[in-house]
Amino acid sequence: MKSALKLGVAGLGTVGAGVVNLLRDNAALIAARAGRPIEVVAVSARDRGRDRGLDLSGLNWHDDAVALAADPQVEIVVELMGGSEGPARQLVEAALAAGKPVVTANKALLATHGAALAKLAEAKGVALAYEAAVAGGIPAIKALREGLAGNRISRVAGILNGTCNYILTEMRVKGLPFAEVLAEAQRLGYAEADPAFDIDGVDAAHKLAILAALAFGQQVDLGALHIEGITKISALDIALAGELGYRIKLLGIASREEGGVTARVHPCMVPVSSPIASVDGVFNAVLAEGDAVGRVMLQGRGAGAGPTASAVVADLVDIARGCHAPVWGVETAALAPSAPVPMERHRGAYYLRLMVLDQPGVIADVSSVLRDMTISVESMLQRGRAPGEAVPLVMVTHDCEEAQMQAALTKIAQLPSVVEQPAVIRIETL
């Protein structure tokens, strides 16, 4: 067997510690599959004195993570610090420039600087691997880049953030408001103290930008995405969605359209019969549609020490075996420019929930606005009778354009009988 492949690991948080433990616990199995042992020889983290439950004796410790790139013992750099700028970016750039392969779980870095990093890796002839950056332990990157390499992909979509999926699941199952479930998610460690990246849809957008670049052979372009989070989803909307035969999920969806690619992250109502509707809790799911294979869906744990470490080690085994795929599936010169289709051109059905005064003429007023915008109503639901008080009025539309719906919402919000901002959720059939 060949000599050990020596790693430098930057970041010893949940994932970093998980990688070190997995490499040690499954050392013999991993060595057999990699054709050589894989050994951590150097580490870097912010707090040297913190107890991480790891035996770090005998390892080189670098207070400056970037120094791992210059450590003569380190053959591969594993970057698990996170963040699109600062030490994480500096380390990855320094390691690639030094001709050392990099394995990372950093979706923000790849979504923001993926094109430049891919060019640098290609110029130096080394691997930049990132299976762990999208959907934790689900092999979504390998599936798109390698397993479906013979397919023309028409759509890639999924539940890409476990925190949001957990919150929406708990709101549905327990009938609790958003703020209460978020607080519980933070207590359980499913949500950060500052949860904005998750609940505002940014984390899912980073992952979708990566998947879209792979699926469509185009340059990664985070700025092209339409992004909405889940903060406006109410327990009432979740309950009403259930009555209509839907569940609400935060989805990332990228698809080929006439004239380019549409990529968007936002809450969606999906039929309860859809496989993705049953993916609950902290689980993730990734769906791809190819011209030869049809529809493929993968699901599993999207975060955590074990699942993410599993993805990191899978990349290390590939590198140890000499497997070296282009970062974005093709050489950078073959990547097409990003050609985003504006969100205004999105076409689909919509769920529209209004809080209106229970008085004559309300439905006629709303219907006239929708008629003027050439939006047709498929079904309507009204709950409660409270003359002179606000009650929910729900309409489900036939397909229309986003621009039409947004214009209609502006006019409907101005009606005297509408007492709060309308709630609108796009309907998707995945």
Side-chain angles (χ1 to χ4, degrees), residues 1-371:
M1 185 176 286
K2 296 179 181 179
S3 60
L5 185 63
K6 298 179 180 180
L7 313 181
V9 178
L12 291 174
T14 299
V15 175
V19 168
V20 175
N21 281 326
L22 184 58
L23 288 170
R24 289 173 175 175
D25 293 345
N26 290 356
L29 174 67
I30 292 168
R33 291 177 174 170
R36 60 193 298 192
I38 299 178
E39 174 188 351
V40 178
V41 298
V43 294
S44 178
R46 283 180 295 192
D47 183 359
R48 189 182 289 226
R50 177 184 167 192
D51 182 8
R52 297 174 172 84
L54 291 172
D55 179 8
L56 301 176
S57 59
L59 303 183
N60 290 340
W61 184 286
H62 294 280
D63 292 315
D64 179 7
V66 181
L68 286 171
D71 188 326
Q73 291 192 54
V74 172
E75 298 174 85
I76 297 181
V77 167
V78 179
E79 185 277 305
L80 302 171
M81 296 181 291
S84 61
E85 305 297 337
R89 180 183 178 185
Q90 294 165 17
L91 172 59
V92 171
E93 290 176 341
L96 294 175
K100 295 183 179 183
V102 171
V103 175
T104 181
N106 194 335
K107 61 266 184 182
L109 178 67
L110 290 162
T112 307
H113 302 294
L117 294 175
K119 288 181 180 178
L120 180 56
E122 190 175 300
K124 294 295 182 177
V126 294
L128 171 58
Y130 54 94
E131 184 64 63
V134 178
I138 302 173
I141 303 303
K142 292 183 189 297
L144 275 176
R145 186 172 57 194
E146 298 157 35
L148 301 179
N151 286 257
R152 180 178 173 83
I153 304 298
S154 58
R155 177 163 64 168
V156 61
I159 296 170
L160 303 176
N161 184 273
T163 298
C164 290
N165 204 42
Y166 172 82
I167 291 171
L168 293 173
T169 299
E170 291 293 290
M171 289 176 69
R172 186 188 82 242
V173 172
K174 298 181 179 178
L176 296 175
F178 173 84
E180 189 172 333
V181 177
L182 172 59
E184 178 68 4
Q186 289 172 314
R187 188 186 70 80
L188 293 172
Y190 294 150
E192 301 287 346
D194 180 359
F197 254 50
D198 292 318
I199 63 176
D200 290 342
V202 178
D203 176 78
H206 288 150
K207 298 168 185 175
L208 183 64
I210 292 169
L211 292 176
L214 274 175
F216 307 121
Q218 66 176 27
Q219 295 171 7
V220 63
D221 186 1
L222 180 63
L225 270 67
H226 173 85
I227 307 171
E228 296 176 28
I230 64 169
T231 57
K232 295 181 181 179
I233 300 298
S234 69
L236 174 60
D237 289 321
I238 289 177
L240 290 169
E243 289 189 43
L244 293 166
Y246 294 95
R247 288 184 180 171
I248 299 176
K249 299 290 184 182
L250 181 75
L251 297 182
I253 303 170
S255 58
R256 292 186 189 272
E257 307 288 347
E258 185 177 347
V261 170
T262 178
R264 48 200 169 90
V265 171
H266 54 72
C268 297
M269 283 175 47
V270 294
V272 293
S273 58
S274 169
I276 211 164
S278 62
V279 179
D280 282 340
V282 295
F283 280 69
N284 282 193
V286 177
L287 177 150
E289 295 178 358
D291 57 353
V293 74
R295 180 175 295 185
V296 174
M297 193 177 93
L298 304 170
Q299 70 177 84
R301 293 190 178 276
T308 311
S310 170
V312 169
V313 172
D315 280 338
L316 291 171
V317 169
D318 276 351
I319 293 171
R321 282 290 186 185
C323 301
H324 179 181
V327 176
W328 299 113
V330 298
E331 300 299 325
T332 54
L335 291 171
S338 174
V341 175
M343 186 63 189
E344 290 75 16
R345 285 174 49 191
H346 166 70
R347 189 171 181 83
Y350 292 79
Y351 159 95
L352 178 62
R353 194 259 304 162
L354 310 174
M355 295 303 295
V356 300
L357 296 176
D358 188 6
Q359 60 189 26
V362 171
I363 294 176
D365 290 343
V366 174
S367 298
S368 66
V369 172
L370 296 175
R371 178 203 62 211

